Amino acid sequence: MTSAASAVRAALPRLLTTLAPYQAAVVRIGTAGTWGAYLLREWPNRRVLYGDRSAWSAELNGRLLSETHAFTALSWSDGRWWFEAVYLLALLSALALALGWRTRASAVLFALTVLSLQNRNVFLGDGGDNLVHLMAIYLVFTRCGTVWSLDARRRARRPGRHPFEWGEPRALADALAAMLHNCAMLVIAVQVVLVYATAGWYKVQGARWQDGTAVFYPLKLEYFTPWPELSGLLGGSLLVTFVLTYGTVVMQVGFPFSLAARRLKNVLLAVMVCEHLAIAVLLGLPFFSLAMVSADAVFLPTAFLVGAQERLAERWARSTAGRRERREQEPVGGSADGPDD
């Protein structure tokens, strides 16, 4: 009992510290950017998908909501201008969250608008919308604007007092907020693990994944072939079909177990990110792939993210210094040589 209490006391300072701030920032930027890009692409079709021209009418949706009790602000009014306001607000909140401007408020607004649009027509989406739905809710409870945000830039320019200088109530609130953030990041990580574990074990039991047709047929369908020549080249090779089929199953089933080995986890994570990018290109599912990559970012190594930040900062500093140097070398008022006599 004493050893357990000692372990808890030793771990408490870490639990009350905001962990994985870089991973939270990547999840924030990726999720908000994915949803914002989707809304922009569907701007011409917005009324048909979610508005007053939708085949899934407000009356039908109202019946479904009475059974599911899901939230959508679009149930408050079926007028066009109310829908336009909610859609525009969804775009603005996605932009604000991606930039990290007033992150706490924009995260709440982002979650509400995501729920409002998605619950207006639940028959839309390619699977990535479900992940955006979940990540939007989880991000509300994180400190996802600690780094790589306009909020972080503002705090760096105008640093305030340390939480422990605010007094005991504020310091306690800060510690509880840090603990809530850590719990939310853990939930995001568990959610990603569950996605891969359930998908992998479902594929193991499926005959289409055992005989390779689950990969073969989508490469032959016109709906999933934005690049027919490339899809035909891959689908025409039995070896490639075999590798893609069984490689996908092995990676998804093995990913939860790889978390015990950091290097193996990093390798599988890189392979899965490449796989999602390939799905975006080959099957024409960019928003599904971006949503998956954004969620996968919760497992990115902190050293990798910090190193990437430092490299980008160095390049930016060199670029800025080069531009300043060129401006200083330019002659003022035209040519350095005087006018001809």
Side-chain angles (χ1 to χ4, degrees), residues 97-110:
L97 185 61
L99 295 177
W101 183 75
R102 304 296 178 185
T103 314
R104 291 187 181 91
S106 60
V108 173
L109 193 58
F110 177 76

Side-chain angles (χ1 to χ4, degrees), residues 18 24-25 27-28 97 103-104 107 135 137-146 177-178 180-186 188:
T18 302
V27 174
R28 181 199 85 232
L97 185 61
T103 314
R104 291 187 181 91
M135 293 300 118
I137 296 173
Y138 299 153
L139 285 172
V140 172
F141 302 99
T142 67
R143 286 178 160 178
C144 55
T146 304
L180 186 62
H181 162 89
N182 297 336
C183 292
M185 293 300 294
L186 178 62
I188 292 175

Side-chain angles (χ1 to χ4, degrees), residues 152-167:
R153 186 178 181 182
R154 185 181 66 252
R155 285 192 297 267
R157 290 181 173 179
R158 293 181 297 177
R161 293 185 299 170
H162 192 276
F164 291 107
E165 299 177 7
W166 296 339

